[in-house]
Amino acid sequence: MHKFRKKDICFGLSALIGVFLSGCLESQVDKVAQKEVLDPCTKEAGVLPQPEYGFKGVRFEELYSQRAVDACRQRLAEHPDDATAKALLARALTKQKKYDEASALLESSCDAGDDAGCTLLGNYYIDGLKKRTIDRKHGAELLEQSCSHGYAPACLNLGKIYLNGNGVDKDPVEGERLIYKACENGYTVACRHYSNAARFQQLKAEEDRLLFAAKKTCEAGLDCTYWRITAKQEDNVTNAEIAEKACQNGLADACEELANYHMEGRGVKVDKEKSLALYKKACEAGRARFACWHAGLILYHDDIDKQEGVRLIDRACRRGENKFACGDLDAIYQAEPSSASQKNNPDELITIELP
């Protein structure tokens, strides 16, 4: 049984801290991939992504901080010099707003050469999340150090402060270079920031760079808005391929879009059965207005499951405020008065088995 949720924008304690925390220590993937099994601290505190383990990672707002704290304390009890575990524990403690303890761990982790620890410590200095004087210059130096080692979250954070002049001399060109570097190196959170900053003219982006960043943002299931703005809409084959990747990564509106492609044969073969499965998937993930409506119409008019079809059309009408669905529902009730009995349970949730 699998439940799909709409991807939300990751918010941290601030713009900079949030970038690091939502990044979930992504550059540690190579180290972790050498292990046969993820240790509990790494699993609970967040490494993104880990597809080879069937584990997507923990975003900051989804982090169960106490569970992560317990697992990482246990890890450190067994391996006191594990700098990465210290940084992961500090990440969990940051969510609990235990800044003093987290700060001490980050100092130790950074002194041991852990780039993740240095990056979060740099953000502490920039945002003043401990009982010390804010030192944005030193924070920028720590980010520069980690970025020079290829640690993508540090490059993204450093790029952002170059755009804003927060701790360094304002340099939009350098900011653009650093953020794109992080995106190019596979850090999709940076791709999203790059696309967003370009869209709102916070940085100047070459067309091919913006297209690359927008594509990666969509494929990762973060947001396809920028891809739809920048892509060639007539290239249905490419757009369908990207929508499929985004759908697989949990982006509900991409599933709905891909369903439309299969219904209309745009870039893919017409496949009504697959389209129905995608509409249902998007519907369960919250796309009530159209996905539930289309799924309901197929189920009802193709005599697959009229009862569920009526329920989904009802959901599109009530939850999605779709006036066309309401009209269809009214027509069904007039044609088949017995269907009106379902009005008593319009918000009954559906549970869908997925492969």
Side-chain angles (χ1 to χ4, degrees), residues 62-325:
E62 296 169 350
L63 173 66
Y64 292 100
S65 58
Q66 191 54 55
R67 214 161 62 191
V69 166
D70 293 341
C72 291
R73 287 199 194 283
Q74 180 62 37
R75 175 74 182 171
L76 284 175
E78 298 169 358
H79 305 276
D81 297 326
D82 189 334
T84 300
K86 291 178 182 178
L88 290 168
L89 175 56
R91 175 177 186 262
L93 290 169
T94 297
K95 184 168 185 182
Q96 295 184 343
K97 299 183 180 181
K98 296 179 180 179
Y99 304 129
D100 289 337
E101 184 180 357
S103 174
L105 285 164
L106 291 172
E107 293 279 5
S108 177
S109 175
C110 186
D111 287 345
D114 184 76
D115 291 321
C118 290
T119 299
L120 185 50
L121 181 63
N123 293 334
Y124 265 48
Y125 275 110
I126 290 168
D127 287 346
L129 293 179
K130 60 179 182 175
K131 294 179 180 177
R132 296 183 185 179
T133 303
I134 291 177
D135 189 342
R136 293 192 173 94
K137 182 178 179 181
H138 182 51
E141 289 171 349
L142 290 171
L143 294 178
E144 181 76 53
Q145 172 185 310
S146 294
C147 180
S148 69
H149 297 158
Y151 187 60
C155 295
L156 172 56
N157 282 353
L158 186 62
K160 287 171 67 67
I161 66 174
Y162 268 112
L163 289 183
N164 300 321
N166 188 15
V168 296
D169 291 335
K170 190 172 183 178
D171 188 341
V173 174
E174 180 65 2
E176 185 272 341
R177 185 189 73 82
L178 289 166
I179 297 173
Y180 186 75
K181 175 183 176 182
C183 170
E184 193 175 33
N185 287 339
Y187 188 46
T188 52
V189 174
C191 297
R192 184 178 193 171
H193 279 275
Y194 189 88
S195 301
N196 193 41
R199 183 184 179 192
F200 291 101
Q201 300 181 336
Q202 294 172 320
L203 59 80
K204 291 184 178 180
E206 296 177 8
E207 184 178 353
D208 59 338
R209 287 192 168 194
L210 180 56
L211 192 62
F212 176 84
K215 177 182 176 182
K216 293 300 180 183
T217 301
C218 182
E219 288 179 337
L222 296 177
D223 191 344
C224 288
T225 302
Y226 317 116
W227 171 253
R228 295 186 184 109
I229 292 172
T230 58
K232 294 180 179 179
Q233 296 305 315
E234 66 273 14
D235 187 358
N236 287 321
V237 174
T238 299
N239 291 337
E241 290 173 350
I242 291 172
E244 184 165 13
K245 291 180 181 178
C247 176
Q248 289 173 351
N249 284 320
L251 192 64
D253 65 338
C255 297
E256 183 179 326
E257 183 176 28
L258 186 61
N260 293 335
Y261 280 26
H262 279 287
M263 281 293 289
E264 300 165 12
R266 285 191 287 139
V268 292
K269 68 178 181 179
V270 174
D271 189 335
K272 198 170 186 180
E273 184 178 349
K274 187 168 185 178
S275 185
L276 173 59
L278 289 165
Y279 280 136
K280 289 170 72 176
K281 180 176 177 179
C283 173
E284 186 176 321
R287 302 289 292 184
R289 188 170 191 179
F290 293 112
C292 294
W293 179 41
H294 291 311
L297 289 175
I298 295 171
L299 289 167
Y300 183 83
H301 290 296
D302 288 10
D303 290 324
I304 298 171
D305 187 338
K306 286 197 170 188
Q307 183 178 0
E308 184 179 5
V310 171
R311 184 166 66 248
L312 294 186
I313 296 170
D314 190 289
R315 179 181 290 189
C317 171
R318 295 170 184 266
R319 294 189 182 181
E321 298 181 352
N322 183 332
K323 64 180 181 180
F324 301 106

